[in-house]
Structure formats: structure tokens, C-alpha cells
Amino acid sequence: MNTILLTGAAGIVGSLLRPLLVERYPQLLLTDIVEITDLSANESFEQGDITDLPFVESLTRKSNAIIHLAGKVGPDFTYEEVLGANIIGTHNVFQAAKDAGIKQIINASSHHAVGFYKRGETIDHQTPPRPDSNYGLSKAFSEASASCFADKFAMNILSIRIGFVGNEVIDERRLHTWTSPCDLAQLIHLGLTKPDLGHQIVYGVSDNPNPFFDNRNATRLGYTPQDRALDHLADPDIPNHQPTNQYIGGHFASGAN
């Protein structure tokens, strides 16, 4: 894998991952609608919109694998707002990858694709989607698209239902969904190096107390989280806080009875 294409490289997750990825891969090709200027020696950047298929095709022709992070993230986006980057853009990435002969892709899905399940329910990689928002709906679409492209064109796509990515655990709900950047980078590397993966769904979670998800599918692929949520608390009293929402999607599922 000489060149890894990283979409959404200027976002929160992309910014946290970049320092880890540049240490592992020979060349990163970054793209975002926002300009990036702080490039490392083995990073290059092309600014553009992934809803523009010819632009995406120009990137995939220079790449050997893809980490697809780009998209709008939030509970209040309308369908029209997520339609662009999250739905059209994701399909463009898969289509351009297929046309360029790229086989290995990381699809940044989200636990919000299953956000309307209640805390305490058994949730694993075979759990059907229950999106909690238009954002969650767009991530369910990304998983369905990944499955289709993997099955139809013999591509290997790992859909990671990411929880909360950050250097610290900032509240009680995220104590059960937290992923350290290092652990997410480990999952990504597994997805980029499994030749017979097909389409698989895993959860992006570190070593968390009472995690919302059964992540044995990631373990089966070789994932072993290195970071403990309890070692990264923004407030040591967080484990004693009471839940504020019965749904795993938290405030993304607001409006439910």
C-alpha cells in the first residue's frame, strides 16, 4: 500500500488519526473541503468535494487503499444536508475505488446507525440498523453500500461503527462508547490488511466498562484494544454519573417517547 487516501482529513477524527497514520504508511493523500496546510513529509493534500465524482476519481487513480471518514456529523442535520457528503459522496468513493481497482477500504460508519437501541440490549455486528437521526440513517446507507460493493466486486470493506473518538472520556455515555485514536488506528490497519475480508461490521471501542456493544467480530479479526477508558477520564467522578438518556445514541435519539 504505497498511498492511502484519507477523506475528511481535516475533521476531528481525521486530525487525531493523521499523526498515527503517517508513522505507519509510506504516503497519505489527504482530502477535505477545508484546506490543510500542516503537512508532514509523507503527506500530500488535494482540496475538493467528494460529491464531485470526477474529483474523487482523480484521487483514487493515485491511491492503493482508502480510509473514508468524510461526512457531516450531528443530530440535527436534515436529509438534504446529509445527502451530499454522507450519501452521494460515500457512493462516489466506493464507485471510484471499484473503477480504480482498489480493494481495501475503511468505511467510517457510526454507532448512531443503531442508536435507537436501548442501553442494556444485546448489540453486535449482526444487529440490524435502527438509526437515531438523518446522520445515523446516512451511516446505515454507507454500510448497505459497502456490503453491495464488497459482494458484487470482490472488494474488502471494513465498516467501523465508531463510538466517541478522543483523547479523553468526557461524560458517562461516552464511557461506554469511547475509542482512543491508537485503538482506532489499530482497527483501521486490520481492515487495510485483511485480503479476504469482504464486508464486515465492527465497533470502534477501546477497553471500556460495560460497553454498549459486543465487539467479538473485531476480536475475531485480531483486534485487541490497548487503552482503558478508566485511565482517560476528563473527570474522575464520571463513572458515578447517572445516564441522561435510555438510548445508546444519546441526544441523537431525542424526541423519542
Side-chain angles (χ1 to χ4, degrees):
M1 294 182 294
N2 295 323
T3 302
I4 308 293
L5 171 62
L6 178 63
T7 73
I12 293 173
V13 177
S15 298
L16 288 169
L17 284 174
R18 279 177 54 203
L20 303 170
L21 300 178
V22 296
E23 295 179 355
R24 176 164 271 176
Y25 304 111
Q27 187 68 36
L28 292 180
L29 173 55
L30 313 179
T31 190
D32 206 298
I33 59 173
V34 177
E35 185 179 8
I36 298 174
T37 58
D38 60 330
L39 299 177
S40 300
N42 59 333
E43 291 180 315
S44 58
F45 173 70
E46 294 193 29
Q47 188 170 4
D49 189 333
I50 62 169
T51 64
D52 179 354
L53 180 57
F55 170 71
V56 179
E57 290 172 334
S58 73
L59 299 176
T60 56
R61 285 195 292 267
K62 305 171 187 175
S63 307
N64 306 110
I66 301 172
I67 303 170
H68 175 45
L69 304 179
K72 291 182 177 293
V73 182
D76 300 320
F77 285 119
T78 65
Y79 169 74
E80 288 75 17
E81 288 171 322
V82 301
L83 177 62
N86 297 37
I87 295 178
I88 295 174
T90 293
H91 192 273
N92 282 350
V93 168
F94 293 158
Q95 181 67 44
K98 187 269 291 185
D99 292 343
I102 295 174
K103 294 296 185 181
Q104 303 294 141
I105 302 176
I106 299 298
N107 173 44
S109 184
S110 169
H111 72 293
H112 292 291
V114 290
F116 256 129
Y117 285 96
K118 293 182 179 179
R119 297 168 64 123
E121 295 188 67
T122 300
I123 304 170
D124 64 13
H125 61 289
Q126 296 180 320
T127 299
R130 288 186 68 178
D132 56 20
S133 54
N134 284 308
Y135 168 68
L137 184 63
S138 74
K139 291 305 179 179
F141 170 83
S142 80
E143 293 178 3
S145 295
S147 178
C148 179
F149 274 85
D151 288 342
K152 197 172 184 68
F153 304 111
M155 298 165 71
N156 300 305
I157 306 177
L158 184 66
S159 290
I160 304 176
R161 287 179 176 169
I162 297 173
F164 170 73
V165 183
N167 292 317
E168 290 186 319
V169 178
I170 62 174
D171 61 28
E172 186 275 336
R173 188 178 71 85
R174 290 175 175 86
L175 180 63
H176 311 290
T177 66
W178 179 70
T179 311
S180 73
C182 287
D183 282 339
L184 182 57
Q186 181 196 161
L187 263 177
I188 286 171
H189 188 66
L190 284 169
L192 294 180
T193 54
K194 294 287 185 182
D196 300 313
L197 187 69
H199 178 242
Q200 296 289 332
I201 293 172
V202 297
Y203 292 88
V205 285
S206 292
D207 182 1
N208 302 343
N210 301 313
F212 289 161
F213 320 111
D214 180 342
N215 206 24
R216 280 181 288 184
N217 200 38
T219 303
R220 181 183 65 82
L221 296 176
Y223 175 62
T224 304
Q226 302 299 303
D227 293 318
R228 296 176 68 246
L230 292 175
D231 295 333
H232 296 269
L233 299 175
D235 177 352
D237 196 45
I238 284 175
N240 299 318
H241 293 176
Q242 293 302 307
T244 59
N245 194 296
Q246 64 179 324
Y247 297 99
I248 67 166
H251 68 287
F252 281 60
S254 63
N257 295 321

